[in-house]
Amino acid sequence: MVLNAIEANPAQVHARRIGGPLLFGRLWQRLGIDAVLEEVLEGRQFGFAVERAVFVAALHRLFVSGSDRACLDWMESYAIDGSQDLALHHFYRAMAWLGEEIEEKAEGALAPRCVKDVIEEKLFDRRRDLFTDLSLVFMDTTSLSFYGAGGDTLGRRGHSKDHRPELAQMILAVVIDAQGRPICTEMVPGNTADVKVLMPIVTRLRTRFGITRSCVVADRGMISADTIAALEELGMEYILGARERTSSPVRRTQFGLSNRIASGHRSSASCIRAPLL
């Protein structure tokens, strides 16, 4: 029947993929993202399925990435429940809603509080229990460059990690827990140095999620004397990367370990104690 239909009128036969929407749709529901979005949307009259628009946009970015306009064409190849009536302006409105500011920028903060923050906090609360803490969190940043106009508050030229210094960019900071689950993201202007990102995010992490104890793991781009002093003042535990060849404490530790191995001593992890790693 399929072959006969193709031979009779190929233009009337369309194939749609189902694997991605089924898999990530189930994860979407299991994490409670759909329920949280509907909760935050309560009382808002958008006139279209905002949750579906956000899901389709997230799925598009997982598979191929690209603009909202590209997403509109891409989704035609997939069978995604509830996406049939979505148009380009619906994606624009859904993305604008996620970034909608709900409070003025707090002193020392990198960006104003927005709807996206509320969603992250509610998702975290869904998996919180009496013993939940963030005993270990990992943070890193990357730069996202973009074409065209817009992005007036975030778009800046700075050190481009994707090697496009001629384009405006923004800095994306991502925080995940020890199980690899995302906790939150922060968007900051594209000319913000990594060393200036860590402390505002650590401070917001404590206030947003009510965490009393956590150990922050970050790479060497976050290190400065001021940052370390601020972490110490807050009583925060931390693990910061350091350059192996240029850091005196690391060189001393490495030299001492090499001497122990050369002299026949068995080394163990317990003997490697650098003042700062």
Side-chain angles (χ1 to χ4, degrees):
M1 291 174 62
V2 173
L3 292 177
N4 288 337
I6 293 175
E7 291 176 0
N9 193 345
Q12 296 298 317
V13 179
H14 302 282
R16 286 191 162 189
R17 301 173 182 178
I18 62 174
L22 285 175
L23 172 62
F24 289 102
R26 183 62 60 87
L27 290 173
W28 190 264
Q29 294 174 352
R30 181 174 295 180
L31 293 171
I33 301 175
D34 55 341
V36 167
L37 287 174
E38 294 297 345
E39 179 184 348
V40 178
L41 283 164
E42 187 175 358
R44 300 292 296 267
Q45 302 296 326
F46 278 93
F48 69 97
V50 178
E51 181 271 336
R52 289 289 83 189
V54 176
F55 173 69
V56 174
L59 196 64
H60 175 238
R61 284 158 174 76
L62 282 169
F63 275 64
V64 296
S65 191
S67 66
D68 292 327
R69 184 178 295 276
C71 177
L72 188 67
D73 296 331
W74 170 87
M75 74 175 187
E76 295 300 324
S77 300
Y78 288 82
I80 307 173
D81 290 340
S83 66
Q84 294 77 12
D85 297 326
L86 292 176
L88 180 59
H89 68 278
H90 295 146
F91 288 103
Y92 288 157
R93 291 181 63 193
M95 297 304 106
W97 172 70
L98 289 174
E100 188 178 288
E101 296 178 6
I102 56 178
E103 294 179 8
E104 293 186 1
K105 182 178 175 181
E107 184 178 355
L110 294 173
R113 181 172 166 79
C114 64
V115 170
K116 183 270 303 179
D117 297 325
V118 176
I119 294 170
E120 290 171 343
E121 291 155 15
K122 288 184 177 294
L123 286 171
F124 183 77
D125 284 340
R126 287 179 69 91
R127 67 174 189 260
R128 184 194 294 270
D129 57 34
L130 290 174
F131 306 101
T132 298
D133 67 0
L134 297 178
S135 55
L136 198 65
V137 297
F138 299 86
M139 195 190 95
D140 204 357
T141 62
T142 190
S143 59
L144 303 175
S145 55
F146 61 91
Y147 295 89
D152 295 333
T153 59
L154 293 173
R156 299 288 188 275
R157 285 184 171 83
H159 174 65
S160 176
K161 297 181 180 180
D162 53 1
H163 309 295
R164 296 303 303 270
E166 76 279 9
L167 297 177
Q169 66 177 22
M170 59 194 74
I171 302 297
L172 170 67
V174 180
V175 182
I176 64 173
D177 65 16
Q179 286 72 46
R181 294 174 298 193
I183 301 168
C184 64
T185 61
E186 297 286 352
M187 300 293 295
V188 298
N191 59 354
T192 307
D194 281 352
V195 72
K196 296 182 179 179
V197 173
L198 182 60
M199 285 314 302
I201 291 180
V202 167
T203 302
R204 288 198 75 190
L205 196 66
R206 302 182 77 179
T207 56
R208 287 180 60 193
F209 301 101
I211 297 300
T212 57
R213 178 179 181 271
S214 62
C215 177
V216 179
V217 182
D219 67 16
R220 61 178 180 262
M222 310 288 179
I223 292 181
S224 75
D226 291 340
T227 298
I228 294 172
L231 288 168
E232 295 281 0
E233 185 177 351
L234 288 175
M236 294 284 294
E237 298 175 346
Y238 57 89
I239 301 173
L240 301 178
R243 289 184 180 275
E244 183 177 357
R245 296 182 179 180
T246 59
S247 171
S248 297
V250 173
R251 287 205 310 273
R252 288 196 299 269
T253 302
Q254 187 180 37
F255 179 74
L257 178 60
S258 299
N259 284 342
R260 287 175 61 84
I261 294 174
S263 60
H265 291 286
R266 294 177 61 87
S267 64
S268 66
S270 61
C271 74
I272 305 175
R273 290 183 57 85
L276 177 66
L277 293 178

